Amino acid sequence: MPRFRVPDTGQVTVSTQIAQDDEIVVQGSLSWELLPGTRWTLDIERTPELKSGWPRCDLGECPENTRIACDGWYCRGVWRFAVREDAARVEHDSLWMVLYRVMPDECEDICWK
């Protein structure tokens, strides 16, 4: 997993897209405010349903292009972007982005090994 440093404050925006046969079939972006000394992790998956079990909504009925609440003190949000229907590999094919946050002195020794 690539790691890189970010400033302690400000806003970060992450944009991603998937192209097939030179056509963009899904794209999305998300933004959040940075906090001093915080460790951020962003997972990106292409799948109909997340392996993590988040979010708690029926397959194919999770809202698109918006932040979805997630359980757990370290999960800060889940975003779903639907793959264009004519390019989907499976029903409800989606690009998921899940943002995690660990604050200083918060479980980092056992939660992020």
Side-chain angles (χ1 to χ4, degrees):
M1 174 184 331
R3 293 180 182 219
F4 51 92
R5 293 196 177 277
V6 296
D8 275 344
T9 59
Q11 185 169 343
V12 63
T13 299
V14 175
S15 299
T16 189
Q17 64 185 22
I18 296 175
Q20 289 176 193
D21 301 322
D22 297 322
E23 289 185 39
I24 296 172
V25 298
V26 62
Q27 61 186 358
S29 68
L30 58 109
S31 298
W32 70 93
E33 291 296 321
L34 297 172
L35 300 169
T38 303
R39 180 175 173 182
W40 300 94
T41 301
L42 182 63
D43 288 345
I44 301 173
E45 293 182 39
R46 180 179 178 174
T47 183
E49 188 172 9
L50 283 172
K51 295 174 193 158
S52 66
W54 288 312
R56 307 275 188 246
C57 51
D58 292 333
L59 184 63
E61 294 182 9
C62 288
E64 292 181 51
N65 307 320
T66 188
R67 184 178 182 165
I68 304 166
C70 51
D71 300 337
W73 56 269
Y74 49 89
C75 182
R76 304 315 302 159
V78 176
W79 289 259
R80 175 182 171 262
F81 306 97
V83 174
R84 217 175 59 206
E85 198 171 307
D86 65 319
R89 298 181 300 189
V90 295
E91 190 175 10
H92 307 299
D93 200 4
S94 300
L95 176 67
W96 296 88
M97 299 172 80
V98 184
L99 180 65
Y100 300 97
R101 176 193 80 188
V102 175
M103 301 290 287
D105 303 322
E106 262 188 347
C107 184
E108 190 166 3
D109 58 333
I110 60 173
C111 295
W112 297 97
K113 284 191 173 189

